[in-house]
Amino acid sequence: MNKILVLNGPNLNLLGTRQPEVYGSTTLKMVEEQCVAHGTSIGLEVSTFQSNHEGALIDAIHQARGTQNGLVLNAGAYTHTSIALMDAIASVELPLVEVHLSNIHARESFRHKSYIASVALGQICGFGAQSYVLALDALAAHLKSGDVA
Ligand code: DQA
């Protein structure tokens, strides 16, 4: 069974109460439970981690090397700023799908730039909590195809 780590970055612990008009009313706990349940239904063993700290996210990415088969990452605002996260992802050579609840390309221009995108298999954004489910489907299909990239 392929193992996938779903990582959430800063402020995503506040999902459900944080700007619900932008991010919806689903809590992080609900998102994580949905990821585990959907993962099981498509043959993935999903674990989850959230941190508001860039270094903790980097440590989790490093620890995924050799223990996980792929990553789903919503880096929150670090998406738009963190060369360190980008370098960590490039270093571990694991397939990663970038996720956002909101459509970052339809929002402020500073959200259009993603450092994660350049080291991700692809990006899914704008579908609320469903973005994570779509990311798991994409990762499962990728791992099944046996493609290296
Ligand atoms: C987000 C989009 C980011 O721009 C923002 O900083 C977030 C959440 C999203 O899921 O839509 O924290 O990653």
Side-chain angles (χ1 to χ4, degrees):
M1 210 182 205
N2 280 314
K3 291 183 169 190
I4 305 301
L5 177 63
V6 176
L7 278 170
N8 279 289
N11 301 308
L12 292 163
N13 54 312
L14 300 180
L15 274 185
T17 55
R18 173 195 184 197
Q19 296 177 276
E21 69 285 1
V22 178
Y23 298 116
S25 55
T26 311
T27 64
L28 179 63
K29 188 167 180 279
M30 287 157 76
V31 168
E32 290 179 339
E33 284 172 359
Q34 186 183 34
C35 286
V36 172
H38 185 69
T40 304
S41 76
I42 58 170
L44 298 176
E45 188 182 326
V46 172
S47 53
T48 61
F49 179 72
Q50 187 274 334
S51 179
N52 294 320
H53 305 276
E54 192 174 19
L57 294 166
I58 291 168
D59 287 345
I61 291 166
H62 290 178
Q63 282 156 19
R65 186 178 210 158
T67 61
Q68 303 287 329
N69 301 101
L71 301 167
V72 169
L73 173 65
N74 184 348
Y78 288 143
T79 304
H80 319 298
T81 61
S82 182
I83 296 170
L85 268 177
M86 177 185 77
D87 283 351
I89 295 160
S91 305
V92 298
E93 294 174 342
L94 283 170
L96 177 143
V97 178
E98 175 184 354
V99 159
H100 302 282
L101 296 133
S102 63
N103 179 355
I104 56 174
H105 303 288
R107 299 182 63 193
E108 304 96 323
S109 58
F110 63 81
R111 295 187 203 274
H112 299 176
K113 163 76 185 170
S114 167
Y115 282 100
I116 310 302
S118 63
V119 288
L121 275 180
Q123 183 190 72
I124 296 172
C125 67
F127 297 97
Q130 192 66 16
S131 292
Y132 291 83
V133 169
L134 296 169
L136 288 170
D137 284 341
L139 210 41
H142 172 79
L143 291 168
K144 207 170 161 189
S145 77
D147 285 354
V148 201

